[in-house]
Amino acid sequence: MDKTQDVAISRCDYTDIDLDSLLAPLGGMRRFVKRGERVLLKVNLLSASEPSSGVTTHPAVVAAVADAVQREGAFPYIGDSPSGRFTRKALEKVYNRSGLDRLSRDMGVELNYDTSSKRVTVSSGKKLKNMPVGNFALKADRIIALPKIKTHSFMVMTLATKIMFGTIPGLTKARYHSMFPKRNDFADMLLDVLSASTPDLFIMDGILAMEGNGPQNGKPVELGVMLASEDAIAMDLAVCEMLSIEPELVPTLKRARIGRMLPSGINYPLLRPEEAGIKKFKLPSTVKKAKRRPQPTENCTGCGKCEEICPRNAIKLIDRKARVDHSICIRCYCCHEVCPANAIKLVR
Ligand code: SF4
Ligand code: SF4
């Protein structure tokens, strides 16, 4: 990509978010939304988790963005297809635990319950020429994506380039894990998904992030930063620089480089990445060459979520305990990601 991209970085916590200052170098919210438009706030709602767990986009960030959109006379609504089945019941649980139903009541912001989808053609797609995309994303006049800084045991980091995977409905996401078991192929697929419905603006929640074996069962860590950019790849490169992560370790960025999708340069109108003052950040243990295998532990409650999500049917519940057939496991770590009891360890 022959274009320099702006990435605004600022330090803050959940009680003093100054979104106007963060967006000012990009032209302010008015550059991205117009009066009367319906604006999807595409949050990261991986699972029904409390905001303090660092799993989901924090409601304080969502509230700040919703407020800025409303001030422009537009109508924000919140949507995502979490891990597992895409049903009204599942959404109710996720909205409740993540604090978004309260935000919805307090601010009059709509929560999406439309679980229908439509096939979208991506003629430039490397791995997918067409795919089902949730109508909640397709019907938006504008999309503002609100990713979170988190590690990901399979894709190393889950940032802006992966956020639109949540527009793929329900268990189709697990099927794509099965179709693309190699990291590079999966990364190409994620870039195809991003191009199917590209957000107009990305605002990253890096205030409470997650390190270690994310995106569900890693360790919450306070980084105290937010980022804003029009470009997902520039934003993810900025996060890597801020956290001292080699971009080639992140498959989406590696594949974006090979596909000549990187910006020609990044301009930092506020803080530079090194000025964010982040000293250390722990990557997933799976980054090491020997791929770790998922091993259920005695903490397994027999809920069956891992069995349901596993794209290779490698998990069976035996005597109400999960058992993995490692001979067919493709190490996608979906089971680790959905386990509500943190009962799956990644072992050598
Ligand atoms: S998701 Fe976790 S707790 Fe539930 S059956 Fe699987 S290993 Fe056990
Ligand atoms: S057992 Fe877990 S890591 Fe292995 S294929 Fe199934 S979901 Fe993926």
Side-chain angles (χ1 to χ4, degrees), residues 61-76:
V61 171
V62 185
V65 179
D67 174 60
V69 170
Q70 287 175 331
R71 278 188 279 125
E72 295 304 324
F75 302 100

Side-chain angles (χ1 to χ4, degrees), residues 296 299-307 317 322 335 338-341 343-344:
N299 294 336
C300 172
T301 61
C303 73
K305 283 185 184 296
C306 57
E307 185 184 36
L317 286 187
C335 50
V338 298
C339 178
I344 295 184

Side-chain angles (χ1 to χ4, degrees), residues 118 271 325:
K118 199 175 127 187
L271 292 179
D325 179 349

